[in-house]
Amino acid sequence: MNYGYARCSTNETKQDINRQVRELKAAGAEKVFLEYEHGDAVHKKEQMLLFDTVKEGDTIIVLEVPRLARSTNQLCEIIEIVKEKKVSFDKTKQRLP
């Protein structure tokens, strides 16, 4: 299954997360986990729920790497989770080096 993850740093009265949701669905996400949480937050409730939900063979789609992680350390931790769970990772707007 294809899962999307959308995140905005501020609450919904200041930022509209719907653009991310639309683009994730257009990219093939069948279910989108979304939250308003600062990128530096160590624990992101919906992101953790996403990682608990995915299983081998699933794909996680994000629009940009900063929606998923704000530091190299966070990104490395997420990559390890993705590898351990044997899921694919796809971002639609940026290339990973």
Side-chain angles (χ1 to χ4, degrees):
M1 184 162 178
N2 294 330
Y3 294 95
Y5 177 71
R7 183 189 58 76
C8 284
S9 298
T10 58
N11 67 35
E12 56 193 291
T13 60
K14 294 184 180 181
Q15 284 186 313
D16 180 14
I17 204 166
N18 292 322
R19 176 194 58 83
Q20 289 183 55
V21 173
R22 282 191 308 272
E23 290 184 29
L24 288 166
K25 287 183 176 180
E30 299 164 67
K31 177 173 174 53
V32 177
F33 289 81
L34 58 102
E35 64 189 328
Y36 290 91
E37 182 66 69
H38 193 276
D40 293 336
V42 176
H43 300 288
K44 298 177 188 79
K45 182 181 173 186
E46 290 298 312
Q47 188 180 79
M48 300 299 282
L49 183 58
L50 168 64
F51 294 145
D52 287 343
T53 301
V54 294
K55 57 187 181 300
E56 185 174 343
D58 289 343
T59 299
I60 298 172
I61 304 168
V62 294
L63 296 180
E64 304 166 337
V65 173
R67 297 299 98 210
L68 191 65
R70 291 296 294 261
S71 71
T72 303
N73 188 44
Q74 282 180 341
L75 183 58
C76 288
E77 290 172 3
I78 289 168
I79 289 171
E80 284 304 311
I81 292 169
V82 168
K83 286 169 48 177
E84 286 174 15
K85 296 198 77 103
K86 298 181 181 176
V87 300
S88 299
F89 175 68
D90 184 23
K91 78 262 153 295
T92 63
K93 292 189 174 185
Q94 292 178 323
R95 294 182 131 155
L96 287 174

